[in-house]
Amino acid sequence: MGNKILLEVRGLTKTFGSKTVVDRLNLRIEEGDIYGFIGTNGSGKTTTIRMITGLVHPDAGEVRIGGFHLKSQFKAAISLVGAIVENPAFYTYLSAYDNLKLTANLLPGVTRKRIDEVLEIVGLSDRAKDKVGTYSLGMKQRLGIASALLNRPKLIILDEPTNGLDPQGMKGIKELIAQLAAEQGISFLISSHLLHEVEQICTKAGVIRKGKLIAEGEVRQLLASGEETVEIVTSEPDKAEQLLRSASEVISVSRSQDQLIVRTNGDCSFKLNQLLMTSGVHIRTISRRPRTLEQFFFDITEGDGER
Amino acid sequence: MIRLIQNEFYKTFRLKKLYIFMAILAVHAWLTVHFYNAGGEWKSVILMPNGQSLPLTLLNSMAQFMTVFIPIYVADLITGEVKTGTLKMSLLRPVRRIEWLNAKIVSLFVFMTVLLVFSIAAEYAIGTLAFGWGEQTLYAGSLYTQTEGVWLTLRLSFSMLLPYMACGMIVMFIAVSATNISTTIGLSIGVLTAMQYLNAFEQLKPYSIVNQMYFFHEYAYQINGEAAAQNIAVIAGYIAVFYLVSAIIIKRKDFIL
């Protein structure tokens, strides 16, 4: 497509003491992307985001936002971004409206009308005059997004946006992200360890492990690549299992009565079907199990880290 | 930068602490007057019981309150923002860290000025209510006409902003280095209390910022060129050094919020 690059991170490195938390990380987000930044807790996601937003100084590497160098052109670069890092923080003794007014004061061209607009977008208009101290976590997240929207950013960075939310709150935030991306053309960088969430809303994903980006691409492509799981139900499970185990594409076969779960190293359900058919095995059903991001993640990280 | 300062003012004037501090200063003035009425000079610092002399009489004692109020305010202003993460509301916007720090310093200056102005006004009011306005102002054993007295009160009181500011910069340095509010308050009050002991050494006394906080108005009153310049240089030195160190720390700090 050749979309414009909004965020480009090159060779980003950060060491705390003797521990390298982020290691020569490269990242690229184009206009229109909803980029899921996946990793286990402690994998370096938040530190990367802190470096991208200038809260933490990298030991090496550079960050460019909309072509502006974050270090030398900080104001121009950060003006293109709206961000919630870790948790949305507000003055709890002030109302949501007053908090947004304080933020708007720091942004050239943001009017009172815009404050009303963003409150409307996140559905907080009727609670705008209430003190933030009375807000639930979900409402604070929404207010955080409202604050991030004030300057009409091209890129919104959200660090674990659904952390601590109840299912309804999670659903609300996901819908809001999808709506903003579709209606306002805003790109997103969303860090999360909730893989299902990323799979649902992101168009691209990058996997970080021990500070290194170990996989990156469009979510569809990531799910289409690598291993595949095929589920076969047959009246001759012993014979089928024996045949499948001898096939070169098959990685493993697990069995539960007359159902076989076959892990293969590629798109080969058709071949397995043929193999069993030509050997006279009666197949009741054969289906490909759609690969989830969770499976993909565990495949490439070998399931390490705390979750 | 101006808008950042406006934000700081908005927050400061919404803080309950400011009004509590004002109330404490007013109660202190009222108690001083009350004890004078109850027992005369031997129970109070008041030498000339009239409204126009009270602010200058109580100028020394303002320092003991400022050594507590400044740490509490700065802890909230700096460490509190870092700790609660509200610092991100500014730093994730087109605001440089040094601008953020400068806005905090302006805010601190305004906070101290507001307290000082309030205390002068409250002391004039309480003194006048208790004793009447009076004919003359007494300061350092000399008597002044009403106009001279008011001018002297304003000049000497506002001169105290210099040592208060130096104290504020020391606390600011502690606040940008500390990780939590109680450390900032505890350490600041501890350091300022320890500095009082420098007063015991005659040679070190002029270099003690706490000594300056109590007695700078006396040096300013004397208008002895050389002595005043020396004291101003000491205070300016404190302000410059601690500002510079705080700015370097803020610039280099990684905010793990």
Side-chain angles (χ1 to χ4, degrees):
Chain A
M1 288 258 291
N3 279 352
K4 197 177 161 195
I5 297 167
L6 270 182
L7 172 70
E8 192 171 20
V9 170
R10 269 192 247 156
L12 212 59
T13 302
K14 184 69 188 179
T15 302
F16 290 116
S18 59
K19 195 181 177 199
T20 302
V21 180
V22 178
D23 192 2
R24 288 163 289 169
L25 187 120
N26 298 318
L27 208 67
R28 180 186 274 212
I29 295 180
E30 294 176 353
E31 261 179 9
D33 285 347
I34 304 180
Y35 190 104
F37 194 38
I38 318 165
T40 54
N41 291 334
S43 58
K45 299 186 299 290
T46 301
T47 305
T48 303
I49 285 178
R50 285 177 184 140
M51 286 192 279
I52 290 171
T53 50
L55 292 173
V56 165
H57 300 295
D59 295 330
E62 63 168 19
V63 177
R64 282 183 181 274
I65 301 171
F68 297 109
H69 196 283
L70 187 74
K71 198 175 174 186
S72 57
Q73 298 166 291
F74 176 77
K75 286 191 177 184
I78 208 74
S79 295
L80 302 174
V81 174
I84 305 178
V85 181
E86 199 82 68
N87 296 308
F90 296 101
Y91 299 104
T92 50
Y93 58 92
L94 297 179
S95 69
Y97 189 88
D98 286 342
N99 271 284
L100 291 183
K101 206 165 69 179
L102 290 180
T103 305
N105 263 344
L106 307 176
L107 300 163
V110 175
T111 59
R112 301 283 161 97
K113 194 176 159 224
R114 180 64 184 160
I115 297 176
D116 293 332
E117 275 173 20
V118 295
L119 283 166
E120 184 68 41
I121 292 170
V122 300
L124 284 175
S125 293
D126 53 340
R127 296 285 308 269
K129 299 289 176 192
D130 294 350
K131 285 187 179 175
V132 173
T134 65
Y135 276 26
S136 69
L137 186 58
M139 289 167 76
K140 284 182 189 163
Q141 284 286 8
R142 283 178 169 273
L143 185 58
I145 293 177
S147 172
L149 282 170
L150 276 173
N151 55 330
R152 301 177 197 276
K154 291 190 180 298
L155 173 68
I156 292 185
I157 298 172
L158 302 175
D159 185 17
E160 306 273 5
T162 56
N163 241 8
L165 298 186
D166 57 23
Q168 201 179 355
M170 286 167 104
K171 186 169 174 273
I173 294 292
K174 282 188 280 191
E175 284 171 357
L176 185 59
I177 292 168
Q179 178 199 336
L180 290 169
E183 291 175 6
Q184 305 199 18
I186 297 169
S187 303
F188 283 87
L189 167 61
I190 302 165
S191 88
S192 182
H193 63 277
L194 301 174
L195 304 169
H196 182 58
E197 169 183 293
V198 171
E199 191 178 332
Q200 282 181 326
I201 55 175
C202 294
T203 54
K204 278 188 185 171
V207 181
I208 185 171
R209 182 193 183 205
K210 293 177 183 169
K212 289 185 175 174
L213 196 71
I214 55 169
E216 190 185 32
E218 298 215 354
V219 172
R220 273 178 308 154
Q221 287 172 345
L222 292 176
L223 297 182
S225 66
E227 293 178 15
E228 183 190 59
T229 305
V230 180
E231 187 182 311
I232 300 167
V233 181
T234 171
S235 52
E236 299 164 276
D238 293 335
K239 189 177 175 186
E241 186 177 351
Q242 201 178 0
L243 282 164
L244 289 168
R245 285 193 187 280
S246 64
S248 60
E249 298 89 353
V250 171
I251 298 167
S252 67
V253 180
S254 58
R255 186 176 152 186
S256 165
Q257 293 177 336
D258 54 354
Q259 184 195 48
L260 300 165
I261 306 295
V262 188
R263 271 177 69 213
T264 71
N265 56 14
D267 181 10
C268 42
S269 54
F270 179 72
K271 276 188 188 171
L272 298 185
N273 190 21
Q274 240 181 353
L275 173 72
L276 295 176
M277 294 271 282
T278 51
S279 306
V281 175
H282 178 246
I283 301 170
R284 283 191 200 141
T285 61
I286 179 164
S287 58
R288 259 189 353 201
R289 270 192 183 174
R291 197 178 186 208
T292 62
L293 200 56
E294 189 162 321
Q295 278 174 302
F296 170 77
F297 181 80
F298 278 101
D299 289 344
I300 61 167
T301 60
E302 292 137 17
D304 63 357
E306 45 171 304
R307 294 204 58 222
Chain B
M1 176 74 181
I2 297 291
R3 291 186 162 213
L4 201 55
I5 292 169
Q6 282 174 351
N7 279 3
E8 291 305 325
F9 289 175
Y10 184 78
K11 286 182 281 177
T12 297
F13 288 105
R14 294 290 295 266
L15 274 180
K16 280 184 192 153
K17 282 188 188 83
L18 177 68
Y19 304 101
I20 292 171
F21 294 162
M22 284 177 170
I24 290 170
L25 289 172
V27 167
H28 170 248
W30 179 79
L31 282 176
T32 308
V33 166
H34 172 76
F35 283 122
Y36 180 87
N37 282 337
E41 276 180 36
W42 67 274
K43 261 197 171 182
S44 167
V45 290
I46 293 172
L47 295 174
M48 177 166 266
N50 66 33
Q52 61 181 293
S53 299
L54 193 62
L56 283 176
T57 307
L58 296 182
L59 199 50
N60 274 5
S61 55
M62 179 90 178
Q64 75 198 28
F65 292 105
M66 286 309 233
T67 52
V68 177
F69 293 167
I70 291 172
I72 293 173
Y73 179 69
V74 174
D76 203 60
L77 196 68
I78 306 270
T79 323
E81 291 235 343
V82 175
K83 188 79 183 159
T84 58
T86 46
L87 164 92
K88 291 182 286 190
M89 281 175 74
S90 303
L91 293 194
L92 293 176
R93 300 299 175 185
V95 170
R96 293 202 168 275
R97 291 177 179 203
I98 196 72
E99 290 174 334
W100 179 83
L101 182 70
N102 290 345
K104 297 288 180 191
I105 291 169
V106 174
S107 174
L108 172 64
F109 184 79
V110 170
F111 165 81
M112 293 186 309
T113 308
V114 166
L115 284 185
L116 196 65
V117 168
F118 173 80
S119 114
I120 295 167
E123 286 155 8
Y124 270 144
I126 290 167
T128 303
L129 283 172
F131 312 120
W133 176 249
E135 294 299 318
Q136 288 180 304
T137 300
L138 175 72
Y139 178 71
S142 303
L143 289 168
Y144 296 87
T145 64
Q146 293 180 36
T147 319
E148 284 172 342
V150 170
W151 171 239
L152 186 70
T153 302
L154 294 178
R155 188 165 64 83
L156 297 187
S157 297
F158 283 110
S159 75
M160 295 307 286
L161 285 171
L162 258 178
Y164 295 164
M165 200 61 205
C167 165
M169 291 313 302
I170 296 171
V171 178
M172 191 136 316
F173 158 70
I174 294 169
V176 297
S177 313
T179 50
N180 63 61
I181 292 174
S182 43
T183 306
T184 299
I185 296 173
L187 202 58
S188 301
I189 293 175
V191 166
L192 293 172
T193 307
M195 277 184 167
Q196 290 189 26
Y197 293 104
L198 288 180
N199 294 357
F201 306 96
E202 208 53 42
Q203 281 179 319
L204 294 177
K205 212 171 164 181
Y207 303 102
S208 157
I209 197 62
V210 178
N211 176 58
Q212 300 283 2
M213 286 175 78
Y214 276 94
F215 302 110
F216 182 73
H217 61 95
E218 289 181 11
Y219 306 129
Y221 170 69
Q222 287 160 10
I223 324 182
N224 168 343
E226 201 180 323
Q230 190 195 340
N231 285 298
I232 290 170
V234 168
I235 293 169
Y238 270 106
I239 293 174
V241 167
F242 283 99
Y243 171 74
L244 207 67
V245 179
S246 302
I248 292 169
I249 292 172
I250 277 290
K251 207 161 178 241
R252 293 185 178 169
K253 202 174 176 89
D254 285 331
F255 291 107
I256 316 287
L257 314 162

